[in-house]
Amino acid sequence: MIETRAPGKLYIAGEYAVVEPGHPAILVAVDRYLTVRLTEAIGMGRVHSSRYGHGPVTWVRDADGDTIVVDHSPFDYVTAAITILERLRSERGLDPRYFDLHIDSELDDSSGRKFGLGSSAAVTVAVVDALDRFYGLGLTAMERFRLALLATIHVAPKASGGDLAASTFGGWIAYTAPDRARLLALSDAVPVAEVLTAPEWDVCTVRPLPDLTALRLLVGWTGSPASTERLVDRVRMSEDDLDAHYARFLDDSRTAVEELVAAWDSDPATMLEIIRRCRRLLQKLGRLRGTTIETDQLRTLCDLSEASGAAGKPSGAGGGDCGIMLLPGDVSDDAVLATWREHDILRLDLRPHLPQTADTAGAVR
Ligand SMILES: Nc1ncnc2c1ncn2[C@@H]1O[C@H](COP(=O)(O)OP(=O)(O)O)[C@@H](O)[C@H]1O
Ligand SMILES: C[C@@](O)(CCOP(=O)(O)OP(=O)(O)O)CC(=O)O
């Protein structure tokens, strides 16, 4: 049996802007995991997950042996990851084999509600990792990340992949996305091995940041998970809509994230000021597009943070899900957590998942 595990993630800054190629965001991988167990099978593949209430998803190969055909269920992150890895396996001339996957996730609560910790990314990263080992492909972390992003954009073409980078590399990272529309077109036209080294990846960067010690991270979950795709659609709209306000948002977000990287762990006061600024940028973006990124509970979380001398902001797409708070040493958790409880904000007890191997810890592009 092969077992792989991928961590969840949180956005610290730069969300929304990061969907535009080359615009930076900061994320952290967190110590809640999704686990995949793979066993060899005969005649068909099965995917077991509590997500699939109706029993396992099953798949077989078509007559040419290279394409997988999924029984009844919609094409999702798992089947997209299997499809791209099977293409690579075939390109390398390796014999096809069947396998069963068992998926267990800590990224939802027991009733299946997601916490916004990146379950789609974690499942994609963990399946790519499992198949890499099963077929002995010997992929690097960067190749696994790129394959996970290629799988993801076949399901969610606008996804930035920041969550995949955090889940693959671990720790705190600064991330910029490639042009996924071009990669999607390319991946349908040329072999996967060729897509993995295409110049389209040049603007995609994953830079590890040191562990954060100068500030503490608290995470509050406000329920009512958002549909990220829907929010991104509303905020990004069409290419024609890249108006002056949006361009300004992108510029301001880039400046803030770059300043945050420069101040990282060495200048906590500046870091707090930048997180507060990032909150306001997201508020402005929400107003501009008529969408609620900062819900009432997220506003409460952020206001309480600022009133106590800390800084808070929505994390990710907002509209619910998680808010983050960064606290300097002189602000106590207890007072803050008591007010969170009064407002039904659930503290998620999370710590950074730090890089485990030299392969995932290095400076990368
Ligand atoms: N345990 C799991 N088993 C199978 N697929 C999963 C699992 N967890 C998440 N997924 C996939 O990820 C999707 C959720 O993605 P999304 O709504 O973006 O949530 P998140 O914010 O947690 O990434 C699900 O619809 C499913 O396709
Ligand atoms: C808006 C975004 O920049 C960040 C969304 O982050 P979330 O953490 O909300 O995402 P999910 O894990 O899918 O719920 C879109 C993106 O980067 O793709």
Side-chain angles (χ1 to χ4, degrees), residues 100-299:
D100 290 342
L101 302 176
H102 284 83
I103 301 170
D104 286 301
S105 178
E106 298 170 356
L107 302 175
D108 307 306
D109 74 3
S110 49
S111 62
R113 282 184 310 180
K114 70 187 185 95
F115 290 122
L117 294 175
S119 62
S120 55
V123 79
T124 311
V125 166
V127 170
V128 168
D129 195 4
L131 291 189
D132 173 27
R133 294 193 205 176
F134 181 57
Y135 284 122
L137 299 172
L139 300 168
T140 63
M142 183 53 86
E143 287 169 331
R144 281 186 275 116
F145 157 71
R146 289 181 179 184
L147 287 162
L149 184 52
L150 293 176
T152 295
I153 58 180
H154 281 88
V155 181
K158 288 177 186 152
S160 69
D163 48 2
L164 297 163
S167 187
T168 304
F169 292 95
W172 306 82
I173 58 165
Y175 174 78
T176 58
D179 183 333
R180 282 89 68 215
R182 288 175 58 169
L183 283 172
L184 190 57
L186 193 66
S187 79
D188 291 335
V190 304
V192 176
E194 207 174 304
V195 188
L196 285 179
T197 54
E200 273 74 7
W201 293 103
D202 287 354
V203 291
C204 177
T205 58
V206 187
R207 295 186 199 292
L209 299 172
D211 190 16
L212 186 62
T213 56
L215 295 168
R216 296 193 313 292
L217 173 69
L218 284 188
V219 184
W221 186 63
T222 63
S224 45
S227 160
T228 301
E229 273 244 87
R230 191 169 41 79
L231 285 167
V232 170
D233 270 346
R234 285 189 63 173
V235 170
R236 196 178 178 219
M237 299 171 129
S238 67
E239 290 299 322
D240 296 342
D241 198 56
L242 286 174
D243 56 17
H245 289 294
Y246 186 57
R248 179 73 195 269
F249 164 74
L250 293 180
D251 277 355
D252 289 348
S253 178
R254 174 194 290 284
T255 304
V257 174
E258 286 175 356
E259 287 177 14
L260 191 53
V261 169
W264 192 257
D265 213 35
S266 60
D267 184 352
T270 300
M271 289 182 68
L272 293 175
E273 180 274 308
I274 295 166
I275 294 292
R276 293 179 197 123
R277 209 194 312 158
C278 289
R279 173 196 180 190
R280 295 202 160 62
L281 287 177
L282 290 176
Q283 285 175 336
K284 227 158 84 179
L285 182 70
R287 277 199 299 274
L288 186 66
R289 299 302 194 221
T291 183
T292 308
I293 296 173
E294 190 174 296
T295 56
D296 289 347
Q297 269 182 308
L298 286 170
R299 183 182 331 114

